[in-house]
């Protein structure tokens, strides 16, 4: 049986006015999830986090996170066309 590895975490809190939660029609927990996903996506797009670490931050599996990126039309690869062509040349 595999043991779950407990990661050390830090708690960062932000204050959200109640009327904002009411205007969004979301629970605090739903908003927290959305903020974490949005942050994970932005950090991934800026190449501050790998796709695996971004999925971890969003509390999603890698497949779920990749699906979310795909739904938002965000590439799951940071390879550029030039990188692919350079690699092809090396294989010749």
């Amino acid at each position: 049986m595999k043991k779950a590895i407990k990661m050390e975490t830090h708690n960062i809190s932000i204050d959200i006015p109640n009327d904002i939660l009411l205007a969004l029609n979301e629970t605090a927990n739903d908003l927290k999830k959305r903020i974490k996903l949005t942050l994970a996506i932005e950090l991934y797009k800026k190449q501050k986090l790998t796709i695996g670490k971004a999925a971890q931050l969003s509390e999603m599996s890698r497949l779920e996170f990749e699906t979310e990126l795909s739904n938002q039309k965000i590439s799951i690869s940071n390879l550029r066309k030039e990188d692919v062509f350079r690699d092809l040349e090396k294989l010749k």
Side-chain angles (χ1 to χ4, degrees), residues 14-28 31 34-35:
I14 58 172
D15 297 322
I16 306 285
N18 285 334
D19 62 324
I20 299 294
L21 282 176
L22 288 171
L24 294 172
N25 194 29
E26 287 185 300
T27 66
L31 182 58
R34 190 154 60 95
I35 289 170

Side-chain angles (χ1 to χ4, degrees), residues 55-92:
Q56 182 182 355
L57 175 59
S58 68
E59 297 180 346
M60 296 176 136
S61 71
R62 183 168 171 156
L63 178 59
E64 290 170 323
F65 188 72
E66 288 180 3
T67 300
E68 184 62 35
L69 291 176
S70 177
N71 291 342
Q72 294 192 33
K73 309 232 182 310
I74 299 168
S75 175
I76 62 170
S77 173
N78 292 326
L79 284 177
R80 296 171 304 170
K81 198 179 349 178
E82 298 82 25
D83 298 330
V84 173
F85 287 130
R86 187 175 54 246
D87 289 348
L88 280 173
E89 286 300 316
K90 288 178 184 177
L91 293 173
K92 289 182 180 180

Side-chain angles (χ1 to χ4, degrees), residues 26-63:
E26 287 185 300
T27 66
N29 197 45
D30 289 341
L31 182 58
K32 177 183 169 186
K33 286 179 184 178
R34 190 154 60 95
I35 289 170
K36 288 178 92 169
L37 175 60
T38 301
L39 177 60
I41 289 171
E42 284 304 308
L43 292 174
Y44 170 73
K45 284 173 30 181
K46 292 181 179 187
Q47 298 183 355
K48 298 286 187 179
L49 290 179
T50 63
I51 199 166
K53 289 295 182 187
Q56 182 182 355
L57 175 59
S58 68
E59 297 180 346
M60 296 176 136
S61 71
R62 183 168 171 156
L63 178 59

